[in-house]
Amino acid sequence: MDIIISNSSGEPIYEQISSQIKALVINGVLKEGDALPSMRTLAQQLRISVITTKRAYEELERDGFIESYTGKGSFIKAQNPEMLKEENLRIIEELLVQVCDKAKISGVGFEELRDIMEIVYNEK
């Protein structure tokens, strides 16, 4: 499992970890029952505090992505397809806000932006 931490990002490290693990689950890289590294192991791999990895795992558990068992570890939880779709929609909305802000700053109108989106969407 490759997790990349950016010190220049404005996002806290625990959020970077949890969002990357969520993305791996949403994209099907991590599946139900897959074990995550222990908090201590992940902290050592990323050269960060165990407290930071603990906070990331707590967030993942709270959001329904993992289950943790004392003495056994943390595992990917079965995902509700509707929950995954909702999470994807949230991510898309965040990205679209950034795109729309950039378009407005650049003087790109809605029709032109829609045309660009249609071209990009149909190419993929």
Side-chain angles (χ1 to χ4, degrees), residues 8-76:
S8 61
S9 170
E11 186 179 27
I13 293 172
Y14 77 92
E15 286 181 4
Q16 292 180 49
I17 294 167
S18 65
S19 66
Q20 288 180 52
I21 292 174
K22 285 178 185 179
L24 292 170
V25 172
I26 289 168
N27 294 327
V29 176
L30 293 175
K31 297 180 180 8
E32 177 184 354
D34 286 350
L36 293 177
S38 72
M39 290 179 214
R40 181 166 291 151
T41 299
L42 185 60
Q44 289 172 345
Q45 289 173 350
L46 299 176
R47 297 187 177 121
I48 59 173
S49 166
V50 175
I51 295 169
T52 302
T53 56
K54 182 177 189 286
R55 190 165 178 190
Y57 279 29
E58 286 171 347
E59 182 174 292
L60 287 164
E61 193 160 11
R62 184 191 71 234
D63 292 345
F65 281 86
I66 68 170
E67 296 175 303
S68 298
Y69 302 98
T70 305
K72 292 186 179 182
S74 298
F75 301 87
I76 302 301

Side-chain angles (χ1 to χ4, degrees), residues 75-104:
F75 301 87
I76 302 301
K77 190 174 178 180
Q79 298 300 304
N80 177 339
E82 285 300 313
M83 186 183 85
L84 289 177
K85 182 177 180 179
E86 196 61 38
E87 182 69 16
N88 277 326
L89 285 173
R90 185 190 62 75
I91 292 167
I92 291 166
E93 286 176 17
E94 287 176 5
L95 293 170
L96 284 173
V97 166
Q98 293 174 18
V99 167
C100 289
D101 289 346
K102 189 67 160 182
K104 288 175 185 176

